[in-house]
Amino acid sequence: MAEPLKLGLAGIGTVGTGLVQLIAAGGDELTAKTGRPAQIVAYSARQKRKKRSVDVSKMRFVANPVALATDPEIDVFVELIGGEEGPAKEAVEAALRAGKHVVTANKALLAHHGAALAALAEKIGVALNFEGAVAGGIPAVKAMREGLQGNDISRVFGILNGTCNYILTKMEREGRHFADVLQEAQEQGYAEADPAFDVGGFDTAHKLALLTSLAFGTRTRFDAIYVEGIETITLTDIEAATDLGYRIKLLGVALRTDSGIEQRVHPTMVPRDTAIANVDGVSNCVAIDGDFIGDVMLIGPGAGGGPTASAVMSDIIDIARGVVLRPFGIKAKHMKAYKKAAMRTHEGGYYIRLSVYDRTGAFAAIAQRMATQGISLESIVQRRSDSERPGQGRSTRKKGEPQASVVMVTHETTEAAVRKALAAIERDGHVDSKPQMIRIEKL
Ligand code: HSE
């Protein structure tokens, strides 16, 4: 039998555990696919003695992940530590410099340092594979880097965070509050170590940065992404979306425009009858528009140990087969500088919710501010707000002057016009909190 491919595994959390299980279960069938078995010979973890659901007794423990990365016995360093700096970055760089192939699911690391790490991997002539970094089990990286490489891509977008999609789905289906469902997603192992990365939209942005580079051949530029999370979405918004014929999804969108590349992450109202509106629970989807293929959409489990381990294993299998591709599909030195399109050029309809003091003239003043910016309203209605729901968590309503929750839907307009109108409405003092604004996309 051929020599085993020897792996050093850094990090035995949800995904690391899944990988140990997958390799144990795959056995001879995995070997048959590649011609050689894959074997985890050594691992590092924060705690050596932690009780685990998988057997690591036959693997050598190496306390320091950087030492593991350069361990003479290993062929491949599998980085499942996470984090954009610190031990993950040090270990990946050390592994590449030591001539080890690297497989990582670390989207934060690559979103910040992808182009530099790709250049290093290329210089040394080793693989830097990251299928597990984007959309969990969905083979989105392979689809873009290999299956669709004959296409000129004009747009890539999707639901890229399982935790947020799980929360939004449960809020809608079960009428439950945000915090309650977040805890459930954490318990199921979907959320990041710091769930603020999920709900704040940053995890989606990390993944989007990688998809953007794969789609447009540009250097990864996380800091160029406009990011809004789902923390401000209330049951009032979810119910209003349902009544208006939409669902709220946290989308990551990257598209080529005349002024550059637009990258944005924000809650979005999508028509209920579209495929993306029906991607529920922890599922993700990645939609790609290519010139020859047309529109493609991949849907599947976006988080969790099993699906992400499946993606990580596909990268390991490539290495076992001797396949070493350029990390972002093109030579690192050919990756172009990223030219940012102004977010303010985004055009579409908008959902706006205002908590308005119940005063004579307030409505008229708000309508006037919208008209001044040339914004035409499709509808304006008063709704029951979260604070008026019996038994629905803490009240956000101020005591004293009565308020009304007012929901407006605009016709197509520009981001700049909406922002100016809302700033003026806030200045006028008729609202008691920051207006809620959700973009509507027809997709
Ligand atoms: N926390 C991430 C999610 C895990 O919820 O999608 C997968 O990257």
Side-chain angles (χ1 to χ4, degrees), residues 126-402:
V126 290
L128 171 62
N129 291 345
F130 55 92
E131 186 61 74
V134 181
I138 302 175
V141 175
K142 281 184 193 298
M144 297 193 69
R145 194 169 57 184
E146 296 161 47
L148 300 174
Q149 58 188 319
N151 287 265
D152 187 23
I153 309 255
S154 53
R155 179 171 71 160
V156 57
F157 66 98
I159 296 170
L160 303 174
N161 184 271
T163 302
C164 288
N165 208 43
Y166 184 87
I167 292 172
L168 293 171
T169 304
K170 290 273 179 179
M171 284 175 77
E172 185 198 334
R173 297 283 158 81
E174 298 171 15
R176 287 164 64 197
H177 273 279
F178 177 88
D180 175 24
V181 190
L182 170 60
Q183 193 180 350
E184 197 174 284
Q186 284 177 281
E187 283 159 11
Q188 301 204 21
Y190 301 147
E192 296 301 297
D194 176 359
F197 275 84
D198 295 294
V199 298
F202 303 108
D203 179 73
T204 298
H206 287 146
K207 295 163 182 168
L208 185 68
L210 305 185
L211 291 176
T212 301
S213 291
L214 288 161
F216 305 118
T218 48
R219 286 181 217 128
T220 42
R221 276 286 307 277
F222 175 77
D223 61 329
I225 304 177
Y226 174 82
V227 185
E228 266 177 38
I230 65 165
E231 309 98 317
T232 63
I233 303 291
T234 66
L235 285 173
T236 304
D237 300 321
I238 301 241
E239 279 179 9
T242 303
D243 292 349
L244 292 162
Y246 296 101
R247 281 206 168 110
I248 300 174
K249 297 289 180 189
L250 181 71
L251 295 193
V253 181
L255 71 149
R256 203 170 33 216
T257 73
D258 291 341
S259 66
I261 294 169
E262 180 173 312
Q263 289 186 97
R264 49 194 166 85
V265 172
H266 51 73
T268 310
M269 286 201 181
V270 290
R272 285 177 75 82
D273 57 359
T274 53
I276 200 162
N278 291 286
V279 175
D280 283 338
V282 72
S283 296
N284 279 193
C285 80
V286 180
I288 306 147
D289 303 347
D291 55 349
F292 275 74
I293 184 129
D295 302 348
V296 182
M297 186 178 279
L298 307 168
I299 300 174
T308 312
S310 155
V312 169
M313 193 65 209
S314 77
D315 282 342
I316 295 170
I317 289 173
D318 275 351
I319 294 167
R321 285 177 174 150
V323 175
V324 176
L325 296 175
R326 292 180 181 121
F328 290 96
I330 59 171
K331 273 194 170 168
K333 70 173 181 193
H334 292 162
M335 289 173 84
K336 296 180 287 249
Y338 175 87
K339 183 164 180 265
K340 183 178 173 183
M343 175 65 188
R344 300 172 93 79
T345 62
H346 170 71
E347 292 188 5
Y350 289 79
Y351 160 98
I352 293 159
R353 175 173 52 76
L354 305 170
S355 182
V356 181
Y357 291 118
D358 204 356
R359 298 173 184 154
T360 309
F363 257 49
I366 289 164
Q368 183 56 48
R369 289 300 187 184
M370 302 300 274
T372 303
Q373 293 303 325
I375 300 169
S376 158
L377 293 180
E378 187 180 298
S379 69
I380 177 162
V381 289
Q382 187 169 328
R383 295 191 69 89
R384 191 173 68 138
S385 66
D386 273 24
S387 57
E388 290 161 322
R389 273 166 233 278
Q392 296 284 1
R394 77 194 146 87
S395 170
T396 52
R397 190 175 181 178
K398 278 189 199 164
K399 290 216 165 48
E401 198 171 351

Side-chain angles (χ1 to χ4, degrees), residues 87-102:
K89 179 165 181 272
E90 282 169 44
V92 165
E93 285 173 343
L96 294 173
R97 287 205 182 95
K100 313 287 185 188
H101 300 289
V102 170

